[in-house]
Amino acid sequence: MSLSVEIGDITRVEADAVVNAANSLLLGGGGVDGAIHAAAGPRLLEACRRLRNTTHRDGLTVGDAVATPAFDLPASWVIHTVGPNLHRGQDDPALLASCFARSLDVAAELDVRSIAFPAVSAGAYGWPVPDVARIAVVTTRNWLAEHSEAELRDVRFVVVDERVEHAFGTALTT
């Protein structure tokens, strides 16, 4: 089992699944969400619209996750998760932990062997990077320990810069 952090562009990561820090509408946005939608092409937006018209009419709730094909990305799947927005008073760490755990649940349902996560909620949603890193790593380690039968073998945190890499590196070594 490999658990690591790297600086990079999540839209170029070769993994079975990449996690999208989506908004609840699932229709694209800024940051990671906008980059993934742009790189995956218009079929991703069509797939998200189908989800909105069927199983997720009210959007995706904070802390939940759902998958679509990845289309033009090098991954096979995009797992969309909605992180808590600290600016909106969504300050419960359990909601953030749920983003990582639910994404891993969806990955297991898809028999994913490798997955790449961004720093969910650390950007525009205002969560402090060290908190996101700690919650992400602890949740992922706990999930992996409880699901040893899962096919998942490679979990990467793909982050935007050295500051975020350092926070995740610190969380991985504690």
Side-chain angles (χ1 to χ4, degrees):
M1 174 74 238
S2 172
L3 190 59
S4 63
V5 61
E6 64 189 62
I7 297 173
D9 179 347
I10 200 160
T11 68
R12 295 186 177 173
V13 170
E14 292 188 19
D16 295 334
V18 295
V19 175
N20 180 18
N23 61 54
S24 63
L25 299 177
L26 294 174
L27 301 178
V32 170
D33 194 17
I36 285 177
H37 272 267
R43 293 179 296 164
L44 180 60
L45 182 57
E46 291 171 22
C48 288
R49 282 188 176 136
R50 279 192 298 279
L51 287 171
R52 288 297 311 275
N53 290 329
T54 57
T55 58
H56 292 84
R57 288 189 173 276
D58 295 327
L60 191 62
T61 58
V62 173
D64 202 0
V66 65
T68 61
F71 301 105
D72 296 337
L73 294 172
S76 298
W77 300 99
V78 174
I79 299 174
H80 309 267
T81 191
V82 180
N85 187 330
L86 194 61
H87 304 299
R88 292 185 181 165
Q90 298 168 341
D91 58 359
D92 183 355
L95 287 173
L96 184 56
S98 182
C99 292
F100 292 95
R102 283 292 301 132
S103 294
L104 292 165
D105 290 341
V106 171
E109 292 167 11
L110 298 169
D111 292 326
V112 163
R113 295 181 62 80
S114 58
I115 188 170
F117 281 98
V120 176
S121 290
Y125 284 13
W127 278 69
V129 170
D131 292 348
V132 171
R134 180 183 45 75
I135 291 166
V137 169
V138 167
T139 302
T140 300
R141 282 186 175 144
N142 289 343
W143 189 94
L144 292 168
E146 293 170 13
H147 298 86
S148 59
E149 76 288 352
E151 294 294 319
L152 202 50
R153 297 291 172 255
D154 176 23
V155 178
R156 288 180 270 169
F157 299 102
V158 179
V159 300
V160 296
D161 60 33
E162 291 174 358
R163 178 181 64 89
V164 182
E165 179 190 39
H166 177 75
F168 273 83
T170 298
L172 285 167
T173 58
T174 57

